[in-house]
Amino acid sequence: MFGLSTKDGKKLWSREIASSEVSWKSRLFKLDDSRVAAVSSATWTSIAEFLNTTSGEEYAKPFSERFAFVNSIPLNSSLVILGSNGENISAPDSKKEENLHDVYWVNSNRDGKSIQGYRAGEVISGGWQVAPPPGERFALLKSIPEEGEFIASATRPTGNRKVLHKYVNRMAVAAITSPVEKKTGVTVYLIDAVRGKVLDTAHHVNGTGPVSLVRCENWIVYSFWDVARRSDQIYVIDYFEPKKDWFPKEIGAAMLNAVTGVEIEKELPTTPHAIPNPVAARIGFEVDGRITGLDVTTTERAITMRSIVVHLDKSRIVVVPKEVLDPRRPIGVPTEEHRAEMLMSYKPYISLLVGSVYASKDLLIPNLSHSFTAAVRGRESSSHILASGIDIFHTVLAPAGKFDALTDEFMYTTVQVVLVIMIIGTIVLRILSSRLMTTRAWLQS
């Protein structure tokens, strides 16, 4: 494990967290800005270490046991660890009662034949299962980022002075399938992790791998290879709350009770998270090049428009603004309402090879497999992008421009000289003004 500086890529510290004699699978969990948990798992045991991100030193004693599930809770910067028998294992700086309050976890089989959901407690309880269509298997499973993302606005204003309420369900996970053997067929799911209910689904008959998926706020973006069109397709789905009646049943029941004194029995939801299914707005685009992965930029307060980080041909990183992948783009000439919403006319083809913003610039990242984004502290306009393949690549991207930072060409020296001259001039003028007032006083006397 290495600690690298985001300024110049210099190695700050390194640490061996597991023996190289055994095949380990390691994951990192961010607890807060200065602490991270490194969990390494083998077939017979697991190791959890808790390190300081600045120095690489342990801030808590590591422990080893066989883990069934490990995840972080962003609200209290702690770690949930469940043992192989379903028991809760207390991690350092964690409160068992607080950690396991409304914690649900979703797991996919190694063969991708099903997805199971459970509720964490003193022991694992409950459970549901979702199976893919015949001839398909689950390839990817995505939830809202573990760090707990900000959502700048819960609504989206439209051009006709109305608003669409975003469907932000942190208990919902997105899943995508890929065909087995030489078959075709790709299916995308939005599943409620509490009930196991399929909230939305989309099936593409001619789709095949490689597939990619990213989930953020109230939307998901996914890609696959279309064997009929012989090109990559990228789809985006935005989810919104269903339209609500302007005169809710609760108000009508309260008025009836106030007038007649008759109480109407309320229909209680089956679970605290039992909310109506979302309304989906979806659209697809044909792209050039092979998409091998997807990610999304992250800013400190999510005010800046997000951008999709596209892995192209396992060697380059291309950035596509989310406003380009907007499912509400009109077909044909935009109307005044569309222009008020700044929606571009829909075009089914997007070129990623020509005219796109290459985050990797002229550099190639051989065998590009993973990418990670993080917000730049104290700067809303920028986002860190860290990509790994044979090499490690890092850059700071500003999707909407560096509106809150000065450029490198800014004349700092000139500003400093002007400030010094103004300070000296102010002192000199103050002295001269004092002498002039003294002289005038003597002449008047």
Side-chain angles (χ1 to χ4, degrees):
M1 182 175 177
F2 298 91
L4 305 178
S5 171
T6 57
K7 184 177 181 180
D8 53 10
K10 182 179 179 181
K11 184 174 71 173
L12 302 178
W13 52 268
S14 62
R15 183 183 184 88
E16 182 178 348
I17 59 176
S19 173
S20 58
E21 298 178 356
V22 183
S23 178
W24 297 90
K25 291 184 178 180
S26 301
R27 293 181 62 190
L28 289 178
F29 297 92
K30 178 184 175 183
L31 303 181
D32 53 35
D33 292 338
S34 60
R35 298 182 303 147
V36 65
V39 179
S40 302
S41 300
T43 55
W44 52 277
T45 187
S46 303
I47 300 175
E49 297 196 21
F50 305 90
L51 308 176
N52 186 292
T53 56
T54 305
S55 61
E57 298 178 354
E58 295 180 349
Y59 72 86
K61 186 178 180 181
F63 60 89
S64 176
E65 193 170 332
R66 190 173 181 181
F67 304 149
F69 170 77
V70 181
N71 208 343
S72 61
I73 300 180
L75 299 179
N76 58 356
S77 300
S78 58
L79 204 67
V80 170
I81 301 178
L82 298 180
S84 57
N85 296 325
E87 73 279 4
N88 176 42
I89 302 173
S90 297
D93 301 335
S94 299
K95 296 180 180 180
K96 182 179 295 187
E97 295 80 7
E98 185 177 3
N99 280 356
L100 298 178
H101 177 69
D102 278 347
V103 175
Y104 298 84
W105 59 282
V106 181
N107 183 40
S108 176
N109 290 340
R110 292 184 179 181
D111 54 8
K113 292 183 178 180
S114 64
I115 292 178
Q116 298 87 24
Y118 303 92
R119 179 173 182 173
E122 295 299 327
V123 295
I124 298 175
S125 62
W128 50 262
Q129 181 172 303
V130 175
E136 299 180 20
R137 63 178 181 84
F138 285 107
L140 293 173
L141 190 66
K142 296 287 185 179
S143 62
I144 288 182
E146 299 169 357
E147 291 80 6
E149 63 179 11
F150 283 95
I151 299 177
S153 176
T155 60
R156 173 174 175 171
T158 60
N160 56 359
R161 298 185 179 182
K162 295 183 179 180
V163 293
L164 297 174
H165 295 268
K166 297 179 181 179
Y167 182 82
V168 183
N169 183 3
R170 296 185 181 273
M171 295 293 184
V173 295
I176 188 171
T177 66
S178 62
V180 296
E181 298 177 353
K182 296 182 179 181
K183 299 180 180 180
T184 60
V186 170
T187 308
V188 179
Y189 295 89
L190 184 69
I191 305 173
D192 190 317
V194 178
R195 300 169 292 171
K197 180 181 179 181
V198 177
L199 302 174
D200 183 58
T201 181
H203 181 69
H204 304 274
V205 178
N206 297 319
T208 185
V211 296
S212 301
L213 174 69
V214 63
R215 166 154 161 70
C216 184
E217 291 189 359
N218 67 315
W219 48 266
I220 61 175
V221 176
Y222 60 96
S223 66
F224 59 89
W225 175 261
D226 193 305
V227 295
R229 298 182 179 180
R230 301 191 63 83
S231 63
D232 260 33
Q233 307 289 316
I234 184 168
Y235 277 75
V236 57
I237 306 178
D238 283 16
Y239 294 105
F240 299 98
E241 294 282 355
K243 186 177 180 181
K244 297 181 180 179
D245 191 359
W246 68 275
F247 193 74
K249 294 181 180 179
E250 289 78 4
I251 298 179
M255 293 180 63
L256 183 63
N257 183 23
V259 175
T260 63
V262 178
E263 293 187 2
I264 300 178
E265 295 183 0
K266 297 181 180 180
E267 296 181 1
L268 298 177
T270 55
T271 70
H273 310 282
I275 55 180
N277 288 2
V279 176
R282 66 190 82 226
I283 201 170
F285 300 88
E286 182 178 349
V287 299
D288 51 359
R290 295 302 301 269
I291 299 177
T292 55
L294 295 172
D295 208 334
V296 60
T297 57
T298 305
T299 57
E300 199 169 32
R301 295 292 174 181
I303 299 174
T304 304
M305 175 66 71
R306 297 183 185 271
S307 295
I308 311 301
V309 180
V310 181
H311 301 182
L312 198 60
D313 299 324
K314 286 190 175 182
S315 59
R316 293 181 181 274
I317 295 179
V318 180
V319 179
V320 180
K322 175 59 173 65
E323 57 187 6
V324 175
L325 303 177
D326 194 328
R328 301 188 71 250
R329 289 175 60 175
I331 298 176
V333 180
T335 62
E336 292 185 3
E337 294 182 358
H338 295 144
R339 287 193 291 268
E341 203 173 339
M342 294 185 292
L343 292 175
M344 300 176 290
S345 178
Y346 171 69
K347 296 181 180 179
Y349 179 79
I350 296 178
S351 177
L352 299 180
L353 300 176
V354 181
S356 299
V357 179
Y358 281 86
S360 55
K361 300 179 181 179
D362 296 332
L363 300 176
L364 294 178
I365 311 171
N367 198 23
L368 173 62
S369 56
H370 297 88
S371 64
F372 173 79
T373 62
V376 178
R377 185 183 302 178
R379 187 179 298 177
E380 170 59 29
S381 64
S382 304
S383 173
H384 288 291
I385 297 180
L386 181 68
S388 64
I390 296 179
D391 301 323
I392 296 179
F393 171 81
H394 170 266
T395 187
V396 177
L397 183 70
K402 296 182 179 180
F403 55 83
D404 56 353
L406 299 175
T407 61
D408 297 335
E409 292 79 14
F410 186 79
M411 296 179 291
Y412 295 94
T413 304
T414 303
V415 173
Q416 292 174 356
V417 171
V418 171
L419 288 176
V420 171
I421 293 175
M422 291 179 64
I423 293 173
I424 296 175
T426 302
I427 296 174
V428 171
L429 289 176
R430 185 175 182 180
I431 296 174
L432 294 178
S433 176
S434 178
R435 289 182 179 180
L436 180 61
M437 292 177 64
T438 303
T439 304
R440 286 181 178 178
W442 277 106
L443 292 177
Q444 291 177 359
S445 61

